[in-house]
Every structure is written in C-alpha cells, then in structure tokens.
Amino acid sequence: MATARQKESVELLKAHGLSVTGGRKDILNLFLSRKGALAHADIEKKLGTLYDRVTIYRTLQSFVDKGLIHSIPTKDNSIRYALCKDECASGHHHDHHIHFVCKRCNHTYCLDEVATPSVKLPKGYTVNQVEMVVSGVCQSCQ
Amino acid sequence: MATARQKESVELLKAHGLSVTGGRKDILNLFLSRKGALAHADIEKKLGTLYDRVTIYRTLQSFVDKGLIHSIPTKDNSIRYALCKDECASGHHHDHHIHFVCKRCNHTYCLDEVATPSVKLPKGYTVNQVEMVVSGVCQSCQ
DNA sequence: CGTTGTTTTGCAACAGCGTTGCTTTTATGT
DNA sequence: ACATAAAAGCAACGCTGTTGCAAAACAACG
C-alpha cells in the first residue's frame, strides 16, 4: 500500500516530465494521501526536518509549472495547492471546479463534481478564467 | 468637487462610527475617486510620504471592520480592497457581487451588477459565503 | 557499473509584507 | 478649552517567499 503509492507518485512525476527525487516523492505523497489542499506551511510542518524550506518552495513551483498541482486563492493571504485532474497538462490548467474552505477545520477541498457556473459579464469584458471559492462547514465538521 | 468629495468621505466615516482624521479622509478619497480595488502597496505609493506604513495597515483594517471596504482574494497573494455598498455594515459584509481582474492593466473591479450565481453543493456542505473572481481583459484594455 | 553532464538541493542572505508595543500626537465630547 | 479616548508614528520583530552559489543527487550513456 505504501509501496503502491510510491509507485504511483513516481509514475506521476515521470509522466509530467519531472525527475524523481526523494523530496518530490514525499511531497507528492502528501498530496496523494490527504484529500484536500495543502499550504506551504503544512508541508513544512510535516517534512520540515527532512527538506529545506527553499526546496519545498521550488518543488511546489515546479509542480505548478508542470500541471501536477494548482493553486487556490484564499482570503487569508496563504496560497494553497491541490492536485490537478488528468486534464491538466504542462502550462495548461483546467480547473473548472469550485473550491470549498471549511471554517471549522480550515481545510480546503476541491469539489470536482461541482463545475463553476458560467457568468454573464457586461459588454466589453473578456473572460479568461473563473475562480470560485465557497466557504462554510464541510461534511466532517457538521 | 474636491470639497464635495471631502464632505462625502467625512460623512461616510462618521456614518460608520469612525473618527475623522487626515489619513482616513485621504485613504477613503482614494477609494472614492478611483473606481476599482486598491492594494496596500497602491495606497502606500500614493500617500507613502504623508503617512506611515503602519497607519495605512491599521486604517484599512478599521475600514474592513466597520464595513466600509471589503477584501478581495487574488492568486498573487496580495490582498486588494474595494468600497462596500450600502448593505454592508459593521461586522456584516454582503458582497454578493463578483470581482474582475484585468490581465492587462492588472486592475480589479467590483461588478456590482453581476450577482454571484448560486451553487449546489454535495450533501453535507453548508454554504456560508461565495467568492467569485473572474480574470480576463477589461473594457478599457480591449 | 562507473563516468559525465545536467538538475536538484542546501545554505546564506536578502527583500517585502504585515504585526505588535510603546510613546507622542490628534480628535472628540462636555 | 480641557480631559479623556483614539489614532499616528516609530522601532523592532516574525513570517513568507526569492535569489545566487556551491555541494550533492539524478539521468543517460557507454
């Protein structure tokens, strides 16, 4: 099981054109094991003794660049990251789902089954991307 | 005209239970004169010589607390602020409009005429607040 | 399996953002 | 105009994210 996940992360890394290193495997495993988004601070808290702060920053950046994870904007000024679905590729993110932030446990979830509704903008505006973040109370915290 | 705006800002401050000071008037005037959101950095650039950095932070915070302005989350990790409509009061923000970020001029607008569409979440989720940020190209930059 | 060239990591230092404590100055209400 | 309460200024700090460079790890190839 742990080995299965190991294999999965290695495959994912290779499939996205990233060389396989210990740090990348560990960080990717965090994303795979925990459904929900992670902030840099979360990762540092879990792996802080193993890897340098800078390495984590650069790893996250490379993951975003290669379409492995995407960033989620939040009100509290801390960027969170979550795994992308298969449709995302290098340079092209297609996260058409909405994000949910729980006020109790402070976890962030990708609600893949909920698509972002289309919006009608006033004349003259060209839409490029739509971000939707819903906050409230999640299933586990009810 | 400048005096009319002066009066308007004084009224607004008083109406929201804030004492009237030079800094608050100047900062509020910035919001009144410029349609669009402002980041702390923008304000500092315009008024930086007049007021201390800390004063600007505290002023913005008090404006948010009293329901004068609201914050807008962005991907680049810089909080922007925009004027609230009348429905907002101390502690209760009702910004049910969407926000638009232009990729060209990098301005942020409140599209008050566009309401946030309602979303259907999976069972077990309680919705508290919905944030919608659309990015693209604005009217002036077409 | 070892060598070589490239990529990644760790370390140190730095810049920017936002906060806090304390003192001085400014506003408010009587 | 005065006393009291609030805000501004100053200094310092912590946290987040970035950059340059040297050491280490990885990938490809013979």
Side-chain angles (χ1 to χ4, degrees), chain B residues 23-39:
Chain B
R24 287 180 177 170
K25 275 195 291 185
D26 285 354
I27 292 178
L28 184 50
N29 278 335
L30 277 185
F31 281 105
L32 289 171
S33 61
R34 181 129 100 90
K35 272 291 171 208
L38 292 168

Side-chain angles (χ1 to χ4, degrees), chain A residues 23-57:
Chain A
R24 287 179 178 170
K25 274 194 293 185
D26 285 352
I27 292 177
L28 184 49
N29 277 337
L30 278 186
F31 281 106
L32 289 171
S33 61
R34 180 126 102 88
K35 272 289 172 209
L38 293 168
H40 177 275
D42 300 324
I43 298 168
E44 197 177 340
K45 216 185 292 176
K46 297 221 171 193
L47 305 177
T49 51
L50 289 170
Y51 305 104
D52 193 80
R53 226 161 45 88
V54 179
T55 300
I56 299 175
Y57 279 114

Side-chain angles (χ1 to χ4, degrees), chain A residues 71 73-75 77 98 100 111 113 117 121-126 128-137 139 142, chain B residues 71 73-75 77 98 111 113 117 121-126 128-137 139 142:
Chain A
S71 66
T74 56
K75 280 226 168 191
N77 224 17
I98 74 173
F100 186 90
L111 299 187
E113 59 272 28
L121 294 196
K123 270 231 182 308
Y125 288 96
T126 306
N128 232 291
Q129 199 185 27
V130 179
E131 277 288 344
M132 196 155 190
V133 180
V134 180
S135 57
V137 182
Q139 294 172 321
Q142 294 289 0
Chain B
S71 67
T74 55
K75 280 227 169 188
N77 225 15
I98 74 173
L111 299 186
E113 60 271 29
L121 294 195
K123 269 229 184 308
Y125 288 96
T126 305
N128 233 291
Q129 199 186 27
V130 179
E131 276 289 342
M132 194 155 191
V133 180
V134 180
S135 56
V137 183
Q139 294 174 319
Q142 292 289 0

